[in-house]
Amino acid sequence: GDQKAYSEIYKLYSKAMFNVCYRITRNQEIAEDVLQEAFVNAFQHIESYQWKASFGAWLKKIVVNKAISHLRKQQIEFSELNDRMDLSNEIDDFDEGEINMKVEIVREAILKLPNGFRVVFSLYLLEGYDHKEIAEILGVSESTSKTQYNRAKKKLREILKEEVYYE
């Protein structure tokens, strides 16, 4: 209940958590709103923090869940695939070594991904969640998470090619 402590926590974590919100929502105003909701929620439930993980990890989970909830409210639909589908047919030939470009260009290309692809891609590659955790967060199967990730990589490569970012 210490307002000064809350202010310090906000200063310490807000920029990183905003970046998480923005990568998921793809909209600055929405990301700001989601961030505020997440901090209010975290502060209201701070007694539930159990020190099992770092405070930042606990807060990040709240932020990710709030951002995902916001997307769900916007009727984001994830294409559910048959769990028996053979994922070996997915091409995973994204060769990072052949691409030489600035980080900002890649960030902009990621923001152009369709919502479902971008969310899974961001959670897996940028936020470090595994496919099982992503499946739980999004309420989809683990194979859907893997497929969405593979398709996101393929689509990202297409976006970068279209924009002539290959050297």
Side-chain angles (χ1 to χ4, degrees):
D2 182 350
Q3 294 300 320
K4 187 175 180 179
Y6 287 159
S7 178
E8 289 300 313
I9 289 171
Y10 185 83
K11 286 178 190 175
L12 185 62
Y13 291 101
S14 64
K15 186 174 181 179
M17 296 303 145
F18 171 80
N19 290 335
V20 171
C21 288
Y22 185 74
R23 282 193 294 267
I24 293 172
T25 64
R26 223 176 26 180
N27 179 292
Q28 183 173 346
E29 292 81 20
I30 292 172
E32 289 169 353
D33 290 345
V34 169
L35 178 69
Q36 295 305 316
E37 290 175 28
F39 269 99
V40 167
N41 187 269
F43 292 153
Q44 287 175 340
H45 298 97
I46 200 143
E47 71 282 349
S48 70
Y49 174 60
Q50 299 177 0
W51 303 92
K52 292 179 181 177
S54 71
F55 182 81
W58 179 77
L59 181 60
K60 185 177 182 181
K61 186 172 183 175
I62 293 171
V63 168
V64 166
N65 286 333
K66 285 288 182 191
I68 298 298
S69 293
H70 179 79
L71 290 179
R72 283 193 179 131
K73 287 177 188 174
Q74 292 182 329
Q75 302 299 326
I76 301 299
E77 293 182 10
F78 292 93
S79 58
E80 189 66 37
L81 300 173
N82 187 337
D83 285 339
R84 295 174 292 161
M85 180 178 166
D86 182 10
L87 292 177
S88 64
N89 291 334
E90 289 294 325
I91 299 172
D92 191 11
D93 61 354
F94 186 70
D95 184 3
E96 296 166 58
E98 71 182 306
I99 302 172
N100 182 17
M101 64 190 74
K102 296 180 180 176
V103 172
E104 191 56 37
I105 294 169
V106 175
R107 281 187 191 146
E108 289 174 15
I110 290 170
L111 293 176
K112 292 179 182 178
L113 289 172
N115 284 340
F117 291 175
R118 189 187 70 260
V119 170
V120 172
F121 185 84
S122 294
L123 290 175
Y124 183 79
L125 192 64
L126 305 176
E127 305 304 330
Y129 288 96
D130 64 30
H131 289 293
K132 183 177 181 181
E133 293 168 321
I134 294 169
E136 290 173 11
I137 290 169
L138 299 178
V140 298
S141 69
E142 195 171 337
S143 68
T144 296
S145 175
K146 290 176 183 176
T147 302
Q148 292 281 31
Y149 176 69
N150 285 326
R151 289 181 177 173
K153 289 190 302 183
K154 184 177 179 182
K155 181 68 175 172
L156 183 61
R157 187 170 51 255
E158 290 171 9
I159 291 169
L160 292 170
K161 282 181 182 177
E162 287 173 12
E163 300 294 329
V164 194
Y165 291 133
Y166 279 94
E167 289 188 358

